[in-house]
Amino acid sequence: MPAIAVERVPHKAEPRSQASALTTASGETIDPREVSAHLESLGAPEAIAWALETFNPRLRFAASFQKTSSVTVDIVSKLTGDDPSLGDARFFYLDTDVLFEETYVTRDALSARYGIDFERFSGISLDEQSQLYGDQLWARQPDACCGIRKVEPMQTALTGMDCWVSGIRREDSQTRAGAAKFGWDKRFGLWKLNPLADWTEAEVWEYITEHEIPYHPLHDAGFPSIGCTHCTRPPGADGNSRSGRWADAHKTECGLHG
Ligand code: SF4
């Protein structure tokens, strides 16, 4: 199949302007810098509760079905179970069609345990991608492939939302080391909460173990970070948990996180 010039492939969300004020679901206007500073001092349950109170239902929780998703799902389910006034939390995932089978197994295990319907967002089919841009775009132009299979569906998932919640942690990589718990996401043009930003690897596993939460089985097979089958392998000896992602390319992020 002939490849079309990859420059035509969108691979980035266009930056949107910074919101200067934050309007809550009740119409109250607050200074986001004060909110951000305050949230840095809160634990994950308190930060998530605040986001539910402030933004729901214009709030979506991203699920990658990695270990941090297990923690977030448990925290959110306990919060909404204890306080129905917070409303139902809306979880979604990006299905690139090249996820590991174990990722779907984890999705189904969390869904069965917590009664969550994870909303699925996806891009064009793999066949259509091959017809338009050639076979194995991930091997030639991973940014373009992520743009089609992750960034564009993400834009759809976040349309009409005021805030989204991610599971990134500062320990994940150097590029995430400065992640704030809360701030404006200029890639997608809405607020973003990273409630686990300051959690350590040990704290994540302590929480999962203590609460006996289903988790992605590939973590036990030497994969600390799990994405698509074509672009995930166990990390090298450099101690970077994400070095197994796009190991053959000069790429460290899929385009979802700034
Ligand atoms: S991680 Fe790889 S296969 Fe998945 S969308 Fe990005 S480039 Fe494509």
Side-chain angles (χ1 to χ4, degrees), residues 52-53 56-57 61 76-77 79-81 83-90:
L52 285 163
E53 287 167 2
N56 218 18
F61 291 82
V76 171
S77 296
L79 286 169
T80 55
D83 183 358
S85 73
L86 293 174
D88 292 330
R90 305 173 70 181

Side-chain angles (χ1 to χ4, degrees), residues 96 98 138 142 145-146 149-150 228 230-231 246:
T96 61
V98 280
W138 47 83
C145 185
C146 279
R149 315 211 68 75
K150 291 189 175 184
C228 298
H230 299 303
C231 304
W246 306 284

Side-chain angles (χ1 to χ4, degrees), residues 18-243:
Q18 164 81 50
S20 57
L22 195 164
T23 304
T24 68
S26 62
E28 184 190 3
T29 301
I30 45 183
D31 184 336
R33 289 166 301 187
E34 288 179 18
V35 174
S36 184
H38 178 58
L39 285 173
E40 285 297 330
S41 67
L42 296 185
E46 292 78 18
I48 291 171
W50 173 84
L52 285 163
E53 287 167 2
T54 305
F55 297 110
N56 218 18
R58 294 167 67 89
L59 172 74
R60 272 205 166 113
F61 291 82
S64 66
F65 305 113
Q66 299 178 77
K67 54 191 177 254
T68 50
S69 291
S70 295
V71 172
T72 303
V73 162
D74 186 82
I75 291 173
V76 171
S77 296
K78 287 182 169 129
L79 286 169
T80 55
D82 290 346
D83 183 358
S85 73
L86 293 174
D88 292 330
R90 305 173 70 181
F91 283 91
F92 75 98
Y93 70 105
L94 305 175
D95 192 344
T96 61
D97 295 314
V98 280
L99 299 178
F100 289 92
E101 186 54 36
E102 290 89 341
T103 302
Y104 300 109
V105 168
T106 309
R107 174 199 62 188
D108 293 346
L110 290 169
S111 185
R113 162 93 172 253
Y114 297 98
I116 293 172
D117 179 17
F118 292 97
E119 248 181 294
R120 176 183 183 271
F121 290 87
S122 63
I124 58 176
S125 71
L126 292 171
D127 282 348
E128 201 175 346
Q129 180 169 302
S130 290
Q131 287 167 8
L132 288 171
Y133 307 112
D135 288 336
Q136 300 189 5
L137 185 60
W138 47 83
R140 295 179 287 107
Q141 290 286 341
D143 281 346
C145 185
C146 279
I148 294 167
R149 315 211 68 75
K150 291 189 175 184
V151 177
E152 288 186 358
M154 184 73 163
Q155 287 171 322
T156 304
L158 298 182
T159 297
M161 297 296 115
D162 290 335
C163 182
W164 72 286
V165 182
S166 101
I168 67 168
R169 296 181 302 120
R170 293 168 188 152
E171 260 193 8
D172 286 337
S173 64
Q174 285 186 339
T175 56
R176 297 181 178 183
K181 283 195 186 173
F182 179 76
W184 182 251
D185 181 349
K186 61 179 185 290
R187 290 189 181 212
F188 294 104
L190 76 173
W191 300 103
K192 179 182 181 187
L193 180 72
N194 302 315
L196 305 180
D198 57 353
W199 282 46
T200 65
E201 180 84 2
E203 286 172 327
V204 170
W205 285 114
E206 277 168 26
Y207 190 95
I208 288 174
T209 304
E210 181 182 346
H211 299 277
E212 299 180 336
I213 308 169
Y215 64 89
H216 203 300
L218 288 184
H219 286 314
D220 289 339
F223 292 79
S225 178
I226 304 156
C228 298
T229 55
H230 299 303
C231 304
T232 304
R233 66 175 69 159
D238 61 0
N240 177 355
S241 65
R242 285 178 59 82
S243 66

